[in-house]
Amino acid sequence: METRLIKISTENPEADLVEEAARVLREGGLVAFPTETVYGLGGNGLDSEACKKIYSAKGRPSDNPLILHISQISELRPIVREIPPKAQKLMDAFWPGPLTMIFPKSDIVPLTTTGGLDTVAVRFPSHPVAIAIIRASGLPIAGPSANSSGKPSPTRASHVAFDLSGKIDMIVDGGAAEWGLESTIVDVSGEIPIILRPGAITKEMMEAVVDEVLIDPAILSKPSDDLRPKAPGMKYTHYSPAAKVTLVKGDSNAVIRKINQLCASDSAQGKKTGVMATEETKEFYQADVVLSLGKRESPEEIGANLFKFLRKFDFLGVDMVYSEVFPEVGEGLAIMNRLNKAAGYSRIDAE
Ligand code: TXA
Ligand code: MG
């Protein structure tokens, strides 16, 4: 299959191009499109066949459900069985935006979309191109991240092309995704909302609206038999570049010393080394490739660069990547959740 690449303006999405993308979706095809978090791989969320194509293009296990994307609040009602009062409050506060909520699903949503579950994940993105395409299609659009399953989520159209060229109908290039990490997922089907995947909308932000919010304890530890994440997708290896990623924890000087020792010994064995550093530390590392995620006090910057850098290390043929760690609060929780998964939970304490 030939994949068409079209560029659409974010400031002023061209109506004719938007309509071309929407037509592909209405006809059962797949279109990758930008959102404010990461690029999504869109298909008709009410059409089992389109959803099967999504699983197959990504190489994704079919028990890992898809998020339905809407372009206005009125599109929510037909796809859910009920809208709990706390969901209404969260939606009033954070939609459109990087928040996905889990609702009991209505009958029109196929089980193929929800990976066999009786619930459905819904998100109303804020990206003008995403909104325009969904609105023009007239459909709820199933949209997982537009990467090959297991690879870091794409934050650029070029990342999507690298993973999915030849496997999907169209890629809409709308520039770089602003947040760079996937949306926060919150389950609102019970009494107290539970965060299943941390993201830009933090626990603290949601607590300002609905008092209490819990976090799925499986988010920061390696999935095990007694600690199984509630979002099926969170149990899979994820975000993994080809390089082996190891996190190094400790005070700044000890971390720099430890990473430099590890890089020296890897180099002696002929390995190419890489470091995910910060603005404060980047000049102190001796490795083949040193990339600065941003300033420590700027988690937005770190989040926006993380997946891009994981892909860049692969592109540069790096074998061993060492990364600093960050406080697990606010947006830092999302950063550490993705870093831990990229590293397969391998972490070294620097003395
Ligand atoms: O930011 C995002 O959310 C991006 C953009 C494209 O919107 N999408 C995205 O989708 O990250 P995906 O499919 O890569 O991740 C969706 C996650 C998976 O871990 C999946 O298991 C979980 O959401 N999920 C989907 N439906 C669910 C449900 N009914 N119950 C629990 N978890 C669910
Ligand atoms: Mg994904």
Side-chain angles (χ1 to χ4, degrees), residues 9 29 71 102 104 109 116 122 125 180 210 216 222 228 234 245 248 330:
S9 155
S71 65
I102 311 284
V109 180
V122 186
V210 290
D216 181 355
K222 192 171 180 164
R228 207 180 284 282
M234 300 298 277
V245 181
V248 184

Side-chain angles (χ1 to χ4, degrees), residues 145 147 153 238:
S145 49
N147 51 291
S153 293
H238 243 86

